[in-house]
Amino acid sequence: MLKHLYDTDCVTWSPQGKLFQVEYAMEAVKQGSICLGLKSNENVVLCSLKRQPSELAGYQEKQFKIDDHMAIAIAGLTADARVLCKYMRTECLEYKYTYESHHPVGRLVFKVAEKSQHKTQSGAKRPYGVGLLVAGIDPNGVHLFETCPSGNYYEYKCQAIGSRSQAARTYFESWFHLFEKSTLEQLILHGLSALKKAIMEDEELNEKNVEVGILGKNQKFIHLNAQELKEYIQKLETFNANTQIQQE
Amino acid sequence: MIFNSELSGQQQHTTSPVVTGGSVIALVYKGGVVIGTDTLCSYGSMAAFKNVEKIAQVSKNTLYVSSGEFSDFQQVVKELAKIDRSALQYDDGVHPSPRDYGNFLARLSYKKRCKINPLYLQNVIAGFHNGERYLALVDIYGTYLESNFVTTGFASYFCKAIISNYWNENCTLDQAKQVIRECFKVLFCRDCRAHDMIQLGYVDEQGVHIEQAERVETKWDFNGFKTRANEKLHTQ
């Protein structure tokens, strides 16, 4: 396939019906470090692996609060993520100012998707190189969405994006039937277990390189602090999804 | 926005109302909220339009009524309906709650007041959402107040005593309606711009119900009127 003939800009189709620039943008998401999300009837949990550019540097934050009832986890170009984050925060604030209530989650994801699609249909623009996992609670229930540089968005029960995310997704496929009725603690442990599957052999999870954010019907979005993270990572040793089945 | 009078090149401002609606009384009762208003639109001191339906259903569970400039009322009804309609395009089944409408109207009124071109209205929004009753007043300045009972216009002067004596927030629908009818009886007697045809509407768990207009009970066959007792006094 002579890709290079059709991949110069967004306004060129390939004979196979692909927009290569958009596909390349999706690759950027796959290069980002892993982040995953999973939800139960009451809570949503976001877990991510933070990268450290060098020993001298800090760890790159991957989760951002959009509003009390909504948060995102990013994979891909951090700069592009910042743009989308700012947009989402502004929209939520304006909605709150006008209606004194929370922006419905699906609607905001739709707006982000519209914005993303716009960038895929212009000669002078490039798609956003970031995928978002959007966790949110609204009157319609508990939500987890994924957005793509292509402008598509999907709702999930649980999803992982970024590098080596397939390993986490495999874990999810085996255990997601338990998530609906899981407690918050079980959900966090499931998330961390999935994250553990996706790290390299010589890496390990610790309170510095892991980021966990939780949202609930009665719980505004918060990050777990270093102490709590340490405890949960320790609990991982004895956590076994099989035991959850026995309890039910 | 909606009052775009830049056609003449000169910014015009609402200085005084032309066609006005009368008092509005709204009370919360055990299962919902009931609103009463008369069916008159006055042209100054002339009772010009006597059969006007002034209770607007804005959504499945929200009612909107106002007193003041009637054309502003009609415009606001359109603006509120727009919000609900535009919610359809998102395909997510989420519709504005009564509180959303109330706050939106407060923002709108405040914006126009800041431009010294107000919506010349005292607005009342009533609704029932998620098992909770909702009643709010938004005034001409954009002040937003949620309350168990709301009165606008002359009703604020004449009717508060009647309401506090005969109504409580957990009364039945019929009791609340009776209190409103009593209030409009008094208003018809004492407010020059009031009318004896009123309309009641209420919103509860099942949704919105707007009733037919009814005539306020009045009694004119007093002995004094018939025998003209007062007149005799003056000739003595």
Side-chain angles (χ1 to χ4, degrees):
Chain A
M1 209 175 3
L2 295 162
K3 263 193 190 176
H4 59 277
L5 291 178
Y6 309 110
D7 68 356
T8 313
D9 49 35
C10 268
V11 290
T12 308
W13 288 97
S14 80
Q16 284 75 38
K18 293 190 192 289
L19 292 167
F20 281 122
Q21 277 297 303
V22 177
E23 305 221 342
Y24 294 162
M26 318 254 282
E27 275 304 311
V29 176
K30 292 182 198 161
Q31 298 296 321
S33 74
I34 185 175
C35 59
L36 52 90
L38 56 162
K39 70 174 189 185
S40 69
N41 282 338
E42 302 277 314
N43 297 95
V44 201
V45 170
L46 293 169
C47 299
S48 7
L49 198 64
K50 297 194 278 191
R51 261 195 201 140
Q52 192 189 21
S54 79
E55 282 224 4
L56 301 172
Y59 290 83
Q60 173 59 57
E61 299 264 302
K62 305 249 298 166
Q63 289 176 22
F64 302 99
K65 173 176 164 177
I66 302 295
D67 198 352
D68 287 331
H69 70 300
M70 210 191 304
I72 58 171
I74 64 166
L77 266 49
T78 314
D80 284 3
R82 239 179 307 174
V83 169
L84 288 177
C85 181
K86 189 175 191 182
Y87 172 71
M88 291 173 84
R89 284 174 174 165
T90 311
E91 288 297 305
C92 278
L93 199 59
E94 279 184 16
Y95 194 92
K96 199 177 238 167
Y97 176 76
T98 309
Y99 299 104
E100 287 282 322
S101 66
H102 288 143
H103 200 304
V105 184
R107 224 171 264 196
L108 189 56
V109 174
F110 175 85
K111 284 184 185 172
V112 170
E114 283 235 309
K115 233 167 115 69
S116 303
Q117 189 279 340
H118 201 249
K119 303 276 197 173
T120 69
Q121 206 170 2
S122 169
K125 299 191 172 91
R126 64 159 178 84
Y128 289 116
V130 63
L132 306 178
L133 284 178
V134 184
I137 314 257
D138 66 18
N140 261 355
V142 177
H143 300 282
L144 178 68
F145 287 93
E146 180 198 350
T147 70
C148 287
S150 58
N152 280 326
Y153 67 100
Y154 315 92
E155 185 158 12
Y156 282 97
K157 297 180 185 141
C158 48
Q159 170 67 321
I161 58 176
S163 77
R164 281 188 296 281
S165 53
Q166 186 51 53
R169 278 197 292 270
T170 311
Y171 177 92
F172 282 155
E173 272 162 36
S174 316
W175 300 114
F176 78 94
H177 58 278
L178 296 175
F179 294 168
E180 225 179 289
K181 301 222 178 84
S182 291
T183 64
L184 178 59
E185 174 163 320
Q186 284 169 337
L187 215 58
I188 296 174
L189 289 170
H190 276 299
L192 288 173
S193 304
L195 204 62
K196 200 164 185 181
K197 298 269 179 202
I199 56 176
M200 298 214 282
E201 267 158 28
D202 54 352
E203 262 186 322
E204 59 158 23
L205 296 182
N206 60 55
E207 75 279 6
K208 291 212 200 88
N209 68 2
V210 168
E211 198 175 3
V212 174
I214 58 178
L215 245 187
K217 282 191 175 164
N218 299 316
Q219 168 75 58
K220 293 190 201 175
F221 178 74
I222 54 162
H223 283 114
L224 294 184
N225 62 36
Q227 185 56 36
E228 292 166 322
L229 275 174
K230 243 193 205 151
E231 286 168 12
Y232 275 111
I233 292 171
Q234 231 165 8
K235 280 188 191 154
L236 261 188
E237 321 251 312
T238 51
F239 178 67
N240 191 345
N242 281 311
T243 54
Q244 193 175 343
I245 307 175
Q246 284 159 14
Q247 281 159 22
E248 279 159 25
Chain B
M1 223 202 112
I2 41 180
F3 291 103
N4 209 337
S5 49
E6 278 132 34
L7 304 159
S8 59
Q10 188 185 16
Q11 183 71 19
Q12 308 240 308
H13 298 282
T14 311
T15 49
S16 55
V18 177
V19 174
T20 54
S23 311
V24 174
I25 302 171
L27 304 173
V28 135
Y29 67 94
K30 192 158 173 70
V33 188
V34 58
I35 304 191
T37 175
D38 63 16
T39 61
L40 171 68
C41 278
S42 313
Y43 186 63
S45 58
M46 173 190 170
F49 310 103
K50 296 201 274 196
N51 224 334
V52 181
E53 183 163 322
K54 292 198 266 175
I55 304 185
Q57 173 173 6
V58 158
S59 81
K60 221 174 3 141
N61 58 2
T62 316
L63 281 177
Y64 165 66
V65 194
S66 66
S67 62
E69 172 60 58
F70 194 64
S71 60
D72 283 356
F73 166 77
Q74 289 174 322
Q75 190 60 30
V76 170
V77 169
K78 287 203 182 103
E79 291 294 323
L80 295 180
K82 235 196 258 180
I83 303 175
D84 199 25
R85 256 204 320 278
S86 65
L88 289 173
Q89 74 172 337
Y90 293 107
D91 272 324
D92 57 4
V94 176
H95 284 276
S97 70
R99 184 167 280 112
D100 290 349
Y101 285 113
N103 279 291
F104 176 81
L105 192 47
R107 295 289 108 239
L108 183 63
S109 302
Y110 186 75
K111 175 186 173 166
K112 297 205 59 56
R113 159 269 184 103
C114 285
K115 297 189 172 180
I116 324 287
N117 190 11
L119 286 166
Y120 224 94
L121 297 171
Q122 300 269 358
N123 303 288
V124 179
I125 318 248
F128 195 89
H129 182 68
N130 278 350
E132 270 182 36
R133 309 166 294 192
Y134 172 82
L135 180 58
L137 170 71
V138 178
D139 74 4
I140 188 178
Y141 309 108
T143 317
Y144 171 83
L145 295 160
E146 285 184 35
S147 181
N148 276 338
F149 76 98
V150 160
T151 54
T152 70
F154 264 97
S156 301
Y157 297 99
F158 291 126
C159 303
K160 288 210 167 128
I162 303 176
I163 292 172
S164 47
N165 284 333
Y166 294 106
W167 166 86
N168 68 74
E169 60 177 20
N170 287 316
C171 66
T172 65
L173 174 60
D174 285 324
Q175 284 170 331
K177 281 190 195 172
Q178 233 4 75
V179 171
I180 295 183
R181 287 184 187 118
E182 267 304 306
C183 291
F184 276 105
K185 209 190 287 188
V186 168
L187 281 174
F188 179 56
C189 289
R190 289 297 182 177
D191 178 9
C192 291
R193 312 277 169 95
H195 196 41
D196 63 348
M197 286 291 280
I198 63 167
Q199 194 174 23
L200 298 171
Y202 62 96
V203 57
D204 61 12
E205 221 178 4
Q206 274 78 44
V208 164
H209 315 261
I210 302 180
E211 304 195 335
Q212 297 278 47
E214 54 187 76
R215 197 167 286 278
V216 161
E217 253 179 64
T218 51
K219 178 181 167 60
W220 299 108
D221 57 344
F222 289 105
N223 220 4
F225 286 155
K226 291 198 269 193
T227 60
R228 304 187 168 209
N230 267 356
E231 283 171 45
K232 285 201 177 87
L233 219 55
H234 287 301
T235 57
Q236 277 166 9

